Amino acid sequence: MPLFMRIDAHDDYLEGGLTIEEVIEFCKLAGEAGVDVLDVSRGNIISAATKYEVPPIDIPRGFNIDNAARIRKETGMLTIGVGRINTAELAEQILEEDKVDMVVMGRAQLADSQFCNKAKAGNVEDIDYCVGCDQGCLDGFADENCPQITCLRNPAVGREAECKITRTEKPETVLIAGGGIAGLEAAIILRQRGHKAIICEASDKVGGQFLTAGEAPRKAEMKEAVIAMGKKAERLGADIRLNTPVTKELIAEIKPHTVFNAIGAEPLIPGIPGADLACVVNSHDVLNGKVNVSGNVVVIGGGMVGMEVAEYLAERGCKVTDLEMMKEYCADMGMARKACVMESIALAGIEAVTEVTVTAIKEGKVVGQKDGAEVEYLVITQ
Ligand code: SF4
């Protein structure tokens, strides 16, 4: 029976932890003792290297392969490479470059249980790849009320048999209002079932808020994923109509059996005095490049969107202060993304202030309450 050993390449961020040279020596001893195959992972749960345990979108694809390749070379043992390998093309490239003997994927097969079958058949463009969000398979599962993992890309994860897609005997026309990720998913499933799917998208492109999310630092895969979904819906024969908001007249003209509402959400603007001033812009317009922001910027809100916008602006030369009402920022993020974003925030020199309640926005400044005193943060446009 072959004996596989899962091992970390080295102990990132851990003072006194194992170096890769020590791991190589250990693997040689393990080989002498009977281990046949090395499965080289990375990360630990007692330091910032927790970000590598279930590496999120912030970590580059295939980030650990060079370590596995070195361990393989220096031990001469059969070696498996893992870690943010989410496309068939990347797996193929790693094997062609002879870096490891085998590539193993976990989340890639949660996001698409048919990943291997599709790759084997050459249908790689139909694979729904894991975007490293960690929301369903890691963060959601950490919630004791969550009975099983979920997946942002695969609503049927773990229930594939129950959610089996069958062809209908009575095809109907379904009008889908909105070509974001929900509208596209609906169109894809409807087409796979044999229905006629008409997507009416008010803007000039499909993708919705996944396109916006893809503009945040290190999150381009979100955008790539939804663009691929748009192409898949098209290949399956969905009728996609851009610049077409759904109106009563349109519904009367198409006469659909069902209208599917997937128009997405609008940002909630808090009722802070001064929120309507011209110097106040919303996160979506910033990320979509609709407004130009420069100079000293104050971002109100230190959750995921606020911190991503703060980073986005810091990357473009702004001096950013982020104000968060709660005790910690990134509070709505799971552990791995949080570790990555907090590290980036520190490196970008963003001043993140917690436990401050914004009370007013005025020309040139944001006013708030912190520790019972009034505080001001300057906004200077260059
Ligand atoms: S929940 Fe996100 S990270 Fe987890 S498998 Fe699905 S897409 Fe990948």
Side-chain angles (χ1 to χ4, degrees):
M1 179 179 289
L3 183 59
F4 289 54
M5 182 173 76
R6 176 88 158 183
I7 190 158
D8 285 339
H10 59 89
D11 288 330
D12 287 87
Y13 294 88
L14 198 60
E15 203 180 329
L18 292 175
T19 63
I20 191 164
E21 291 77 17
E22 289 167 330
V23 169
I24 288 166
E25 288 313 306
F26 177 72
C27 288
K28 286 179 186 167
L29 293 173
E32 285 166 21
V35 168
D36 300 295
V37 184
L38 300 173
D39 178 356
V40 181
S41 180
R42 180 143 155 220
N44 57 68
I45 54 167
I46 51 170
S47 76
T50 189
K51 66 184 179 182
Y52 298 124
E53 284 286 311
V54 186
I57 194 166
D58 308 80
I59 306 288
R61 288 166 162 159
F63 68 99
N64 198 37
I65 286 299
D66 286 341
N67 286 327
R70 179 174 169 195
I71 291 170
R72 176 196 190 217
K73 191 172 168 205
E74 295 192 29
T75 61
M77 295 172 72
L78 285 173
T79 302
I80 294 172
V82 300
R84 278 273 286 145
I85 300 165
N86 59 353
T87 66
E89 292 91 336
L90 177 58
E92 191 66 24
Q93 183 193 330
I94 291 166
L95 295 175
E96 272 179 9
E97 289 172 354
D98 197 26
K99 293 206 163 173
V100 290
D101 300 288
M102 191 194 297
V103 163
V104 167
M105 305 175 189
R107 288 174 296 166
Q109 295 183 81
L110 296 180
D112 191 336
S113 63
Q114 296 303 308
F115 186 110
C116 293
N117 289 336
K118 289 177 184 175
K120 190 176 174 193
N123 295 334
V124 287
E125 72 278 10
D126 274 343
I127 294 172
D128 297 320
Y129 65 80
C130 163
V131 289
C133 68
D134 282 1
Q135 288 177 10
C137 59
L138 179 68
D139 307 334
F141 198 48
D143 179 348
E144 59 185 24
N145 297 316
C146 182
Q148 62 171 61
I149 59 166
T150 58
C151 175
L152 187 84
R153 297 300 320 272
N154 180 9
V157 68
R159 300 181 298 132
E160 280 85 357
E162 185 190 325
C163 301
K164 205 166 177 185
I165 294 169
T166 48
R167 298 284 295 181
T168 180
E169 286 173 5
K170 197 165 167 264
E172 302 282 7
T173 297
V174 178
L175 172 58
I176 301 164
I181 194 149
L184 291 171
E185 178 76 15
I188 289 167
I189 304 287
L190 284 164
R191 289 301 299 144
Q192 287 171 337
R193 295 207 58 204
H195 294 290
K196 181 172 184 192
I198 304 174
I199 296 180
C200 289
E201 165 57 40
S203 77
D204 60 356
K205 48 183 157 323
V206 293
Q209 296 194 32
F210 258 55
L211 296 177
T212 309
E215 297 298 335
R218 306 178 297 282
K219 284 177 67 173
E221 281 172 57
M222 291 278 180
K223 190 172 172 177
E224 291 165 17
V226 82
I227 289 173
M229 276 184 88
K231 290 185 181 155
K232 185 170 173 180
E234 235 175 87
R235 275 198 306 281
L236 285 166
D239 177 354
I240 301 175
R241 304 180 187 180
L242 301 177
N243 302 305
T244 311
V246 172
T247 58
K248 274 188 198 166
E249 293 72 31
L250 189 75
I251 295 173
E253 183 195 321
I254 295 175
K255 296 187 182 56
H257 175 270
T258 304
V259 177
F260 188 99
N261 182 0
I263 59 170
E266 290 289 324
L268 177 73
I269 311 291
I272 300 168
D276 54 351
L277 288 174
C279 63
V280 182
V281 295
N282 79 46
S283 56
H284 287 52
D285 287 346
V286 172
L287 291 172
N288 287 328
K290 286 190 184 161
V291 291
N292 281 325
V293 179
S294 60
N296 272 28
V297 183
V298 174
V299 175
I300 301 174
M304 180 172 76
V305 176
M307 296 324 275
E308 287 179 350
V309 169
E311 266 199 78
Y312 177 94
L313 292 173
E315 276 181 2
R316 284 156 182 77
C318 297
K319 184 174 181 320
V320 185
T321 305
D322 185 284
L323 307 180
E324 168 55 43
M325 197 161 67
M326 297 205 295
K327 280 190 176 153
E328 58 168 342
Y329 56 95
C330 300
D332 58 351
M333 288 183 174
M335 66 173 189
R337 282 225 69 219
K338 189 173 179 175
C340 295
V341 173
M342 286 177 80
E343 190 176 26
S344 302
I345 291 289
L347 288 172
I350 293 164
E351 188 188 355
V353 188
T354 54
E355 296 185 270
V356 54
T357 304
V358 173
T359 53
I361 303 167
K362 300 183 177 175
E363 284 300 343
K365 64 184 173 189
V366 173
V367 184
Q369 283 284 326
K370 181 165 172 58
D371 303 326
E374 187 169 285
V375 282
E376 290 184 352
Y377 301 92
L378 297 184
V379 179
I380 304 167
T381 309
Q382 282 176 344

